[in-house]
């Protein structure tokens, strides 16, 4: 697509963001499944985190396979965007249908296999969809389109938790607290059919395939390059690993935290609103960043930075009220949203500064959550981690691929591999939670599950460091790279 064509191709873009919605929907479904599987299969907290591990390890494995295949064959050149995306969707559909025999056999390893298969399909979709979103219009607004797609992804995570909660536990007076694995079958059959429907729709959409490159250009793109020559890239790979791990671990272990006596013994059937608020926090942040896709005056842009988060918060409250959840405790949360808006104004469009400020804000929130004496307030400090993570992904991506030139594509696939962090870091936090069984007296006057939030605190610390240090690396290389806007994985 030529860069002169500055208009965003909305028809194509809308068909693409349906895929982003699905990533989010399934991502939050995992958070509902973790406490359910923990109870049904009597798992320890670290064993329950294998749900996140199976899903995010699939991204790593899928990216490795895609990379190895691309050494011999340029997949996108050979098959095009539509066919490759459709193949990924069909693979995710197969994974969804595998939930049915897994439930019939009551097998936890089979469930993990099904989730791994869904994730494998997602890895193919991610590799195609991220660069495609950037190419659907002017290069100058590419990062903003990715932000908007990230906002749709977060909308999927927000309502996914609520809809799966309704499907499994019912709503209102008919709500049940006990659960059989049979109840899991129907939602995942519907999900599998939806994946297939989107794959068919995708094949008939007007998404253009990449321009055919000359063989010499392809060979040049595959010429070897050394990661160690680019500190911005290998430190950025660690940043993506830690970013995704921090995003997932905060919420994956939240049901266990809320289940502690300290935090009110909240049961599996009542965690969906909190999961929705966490993923909704990422939606608030990304919608806020997505405002920049639209060409408006500075005054309108500033106004929208307040109005859009308010609308997003309204969506979260409205969806929960529809599901007959009591969300009266959520009305204090706009305090954290205003803090987030303030920090985003200070960060502006500077990728390094934004990342550093949000990292420092995340550290502050985690410390407050650990130290605040009232658990009713403390849990919102942890949940607000989602706000401060929300617009980190493109800032890290922008910094990590700056100055990579013809190796940008390869660098991107290395960064996507690092989504593996979403599988590894929750296991570390889950293993700290399990000390509550062997050492019930806790540590520093709090439970081990509460103390385990030291893990995302350390994650935010590295992300703040990368935001501070990477611009200095780029400066030494003669690269001035400051502009970025928040989006999301």
């Amino acid at each position: 697509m030529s860069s002169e064509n500055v208009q965003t191709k909305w028809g194509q873009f809308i068909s693409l963001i349906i895929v982003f919605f699905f990533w989010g929907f399934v991502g939050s479904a995992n958070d509902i499944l973790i406490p359910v599987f923990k109870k049904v299969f009597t798992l320890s907290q670290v064993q329950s985190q294998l749900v996140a591990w199976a899903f995010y390890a699939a991204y790593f494995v899928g990216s490795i396979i895609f990379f190895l295949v691309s050494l011999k064959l340029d997949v996108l050149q050979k098959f095009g965007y539509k066919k490759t995306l459709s193949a990924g969707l069909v693979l995710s559909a197969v994974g969804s249908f595998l939930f049915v025999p897994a439930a019939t056999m009551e097998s936890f390893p089979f469930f993990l296999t099904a989730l791994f298969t869904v994730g494998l399909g997602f890895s193919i979709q991610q590799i195609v969809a991220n660069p495609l979103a950037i190419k659907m219009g002017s290069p100058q607004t590419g990062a903003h389109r990715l932000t908007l797609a990230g906002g749709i992804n977060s909308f999927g995570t927000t309502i996914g938790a609520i809809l799966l909660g309704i499907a499994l536990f019912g709503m209102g007076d008919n709500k049940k607290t006990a659960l059989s694995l049979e109840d899991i079958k129907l939602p995942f059959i519907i999900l599998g059919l939806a994946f297939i429907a989107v794959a068919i729709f995708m094949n008939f959409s007007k998404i253009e395939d990449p321009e055919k490159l000359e063989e010499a250009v392809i060979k040049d793109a595959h010429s070897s390059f050394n990661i160690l020559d680019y500190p911005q890239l290998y430190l950025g790979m660690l940043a993506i690993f830690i970013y995704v791990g921090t995003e997932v671990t905060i919420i994956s272990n939240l049901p266990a935290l809320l289940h502690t006596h300290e935090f009110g013994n909240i049961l599996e059937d009542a965690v969906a609103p909190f999961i929705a608020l966490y993923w909704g926090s990422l939606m608030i942040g990304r919608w806020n960043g997505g405002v920049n896709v639209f060409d408006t005056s500075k005054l309108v842009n500033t106004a929208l930075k307040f109005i859009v988060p308010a609308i997003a918060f309204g969506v979260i409250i409205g969806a929960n009220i529809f599901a007959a959840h009591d969300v009266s405790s959520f009305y204090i949360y706009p305090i954290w949203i205003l803090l987030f808006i303030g920090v985003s104004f200070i960060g502006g469009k500077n990728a390094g500064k934004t990342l550093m400020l949000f990292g420092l804000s995340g550290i502050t929130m985690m410390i407050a959550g650990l130290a605040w004496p009232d658990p009713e307030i403390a849990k919102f400090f942890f949940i607000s981690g989602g706000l401060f993570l929300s617009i980190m992904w493109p800032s890290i991506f922008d910094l990590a691929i700056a100055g990579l030139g013809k190796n940008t594509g390869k660098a991107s696939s290395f960064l996507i591999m690092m989504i593996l962090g979403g599988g590894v870091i929750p296991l570390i936090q889950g293993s700290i939670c399990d000390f509550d069984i062997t050492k019930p007296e806790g540590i520093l006057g709090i439970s081990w599950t509460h103390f385990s939030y030291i893990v995302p605190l350390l994650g935010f610390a590295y992300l703040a460091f990368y935001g501070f240090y990477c611009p200095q690396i780029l400066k030494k290389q003669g690269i001035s790279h400051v502009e970025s806007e928040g989006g999301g994985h």
Side-chain angles (χ1 to χ4, degrees):
M1 184 189 299
S2 71
S3 58
E4 288 82 56
N5 184 8
V6 294
Q7 286 298 309
T8 294
K9 301 197 167 184
W10 288 105
Q12 297 178 26
F13 185 60
I14 287 164
S15 59
L16 179 67
I17 57 179
I18 294 169
V19 179
F20 279 80
F21 174 84
F22 274 127
W23 297 342
F25 191 93
V26 176
S28 68
N30 289 348
D31 302 316
I32 295 281
L33 292 175
I34 286 169
V36 167
F37 287 161
K38 185 179 178 183
K39 191 172 185 179
V40 171
F41 295 111
T42 45
L43 306 171
S44 69
Q45 184 61 12
V46 74
Q47 286 172 327
S48 74
Q49 294 306 303
L50 290 171
V51 171
W53 180 85
F55 186 65
Y56 289 99
Y59 276 97
F60 180 72
V61 173
S63 300
I64 291 275
I65 293 168
F66 197 93
F67 177 71
L68 293 174
V69 169
S70 74
L71 293 175
K72 297 285 180 194
L73 170 79
D74 193 313
V75 177
L76 293 180
Q77 283 288 315
K78 175 82 175 165
F79 300 108
Y81 290 126
K82 284 195 287 193
K83 283 181 184 167
T84 313
L85 260 176
S86 298
L89 284 159
V90 169
L91 189 55
S92 292
V94 170
S96 300
F97 294 139
L98 286 176
F99 271 80
V100 176
T104 303
M105 294 165 67
E106 299 188 353
S107 165
F108 185 55
F110 204 154
F111 274 118
L112 295 182
T113 306
L115 260 178
F116 182 85
T117 310
V118 173
L120 215 50
F122 280 9
S123 73
I124 296 169
Q125 296 164 43
Q126 278 266 18
I127 290 166
V128 181
N130 277 290
L132 187 54
I134 289 170
K135 287 180 181 179
M136 285 185 167
S138 160
Q140 282 73 39
T141 55
H144 305 324
R145 270 191 300 284
L146 198 52
T147 300
L148 200 59
I152 300 298
N153 170 275
S154 300
F155 179 61
T157 47
T158 304
I159 68 163
I162 291 167
L163 290 179
L164 190 63
I166 292 171
L168 295 182
F169 298 104
M171 56 194 279
D173 297 334
N174 301 319
K175 209 167 176 201
K176 55 185 175 184
T177 51
L179 186 78
S180 78
L181 292 177
E182 286 294 310
D183 298 320
I184 287 172
K185 289 181 180 178
L186 185 61
F188 280 90
I189 290 171
I190 294 167
L191 192 63
L193 292 171
F195 281 132
I196 289 171
V198 176
I200 294 166
F201 174 73
M202 196 61 73
N203 266 315
F204 289 104
S205 71
K206 291 181 176 176
I207 291 172
E208 294 169 17
D209 284 328
E211 291 171 3
K212 293 296 175 192
L213 298 173
E214 296 299 320
E215 203 60 40
V217 177
I218 294 170
K219 277 183 181 162
D220 183 47
H222 287 319
S223 60
S224 62
F225 91 111
N226 187 350
I227 290 179
L228 297 177
D229 291 341
Y230 301 100
Q232 67 267 43
L233 177 58
Y234 62 76
L235 292 173
M237 286 167 69
L238 182 57
I240 290 284
F241 182 91
I242 288 172
Y243 160 76
V244 180
T246 302
E247 179 187 290
V248 175
T249 201
I250 289 174
I251 190 61
S252 289
N253 290 287
L254 191 74
L257 179 74
L258 297 176
H259 194 48
T260 59
H261 178 67
E262 203 179 347
F263 276 79
N265 291 320
I266 295 169
L267 297 175
E268 293 79 11
D269 61 297
V271 296
F274 297 99
I275 292 169
L277 182 62
Y278 177 76
W279 290 115
S281 296
L282 282 115
M283 177 176 75
I284 290 165
R286 288 168 186 169
W287 284 18
N288 176 282
V291 164
N292 298 300
V293 178
F294 305 101
D295 188 19
T296 58
S297 68
K298 194 167 182 187
L299 181 66
V300 172
N301 184 281
T302 304
L304 286 172
K305 293 273 186 180
F306 287 93
I307 295 164
V308 169
I311 292 168
F313 184 62
V315 168
I316 300 163
I317 296 293
N320 273 300
I321 289 171
F322 167 76
H325 293 144
D326 175 18
V327 287
S328 54
S329 66
F330 288 11
Y331 295 129
I332 193 175
Y333 199 64
I335 293 169
W336 284 270
I337 297 171
L338 287 169
L339 275 172
F340 159 80
I341 293 168
V343 176
S344 69
F345 275 123
I346 301 166
K349 293 185 177 181
N350 184 313
K353 188 178 173 187
T354 296
L355 191 56
M356 181 182 73
L357 287 172
F358 280 113
L360 292 170
S361 302
I363 293 169
T364 308
M365 294 303 130
M366 295 304 112
I367 290 171
L370 287 165
W372 203 271
D374 181 2
E376 282 298 311
I377 304 294
K379 63 177 175 248
F380 290 117
F381 281 110
F382 292 136
I383 289 169
S384 75
L387 283 169
F388 296 100
L389 285 162
S390 63
I391 61 175
M392 283 186 173
W393 171 273
S395 294
I396 299 168
F397 230 90
D398 274 9
L399 292 166
I401 63 175
L404 269 291
K406 67 181 183 188
N407 291 309
T408 301
K410 241 184 239 154
S412 296
S413 72
F414 285 128
L415 290 165
I416 296 290
M417 283 177 203
M418 293 297 106
I419 289 175
L420 176 67
V424 176
I425 292 176
L427 288 175
I428 297 168
Q429 188 173 350
S431 61
I432 296 173
C433 295
D434 281 339
F435 282 133
D436 273 334
I437 300 163
T438 53
K439 299 175 182 174
E441 66 279 7
I443 181 174
L444 303 174
I446 59 176
S447 68
W448 283 99
T449 302
H450 190 179
F451 177 74
S452 73
Y453 277 82
I454 192 85
V455 172
L457 190 159
L458 295 172
F460 277 115
Y462 177 78
L463 294 167
F465 161 76
Y466 183 71
F468 167 74
Y469 185 57
C470 191
Q472 295 180 29
I473 296 168
L474 296 177
K475 204 172 177 184
K476 282 179 193 164
Q477 296 174 4
I479 303 162
S480 62
H481 187 86
V482 295
E483 185 147 331
S484 171
E485 271 309 331
H489 138 65

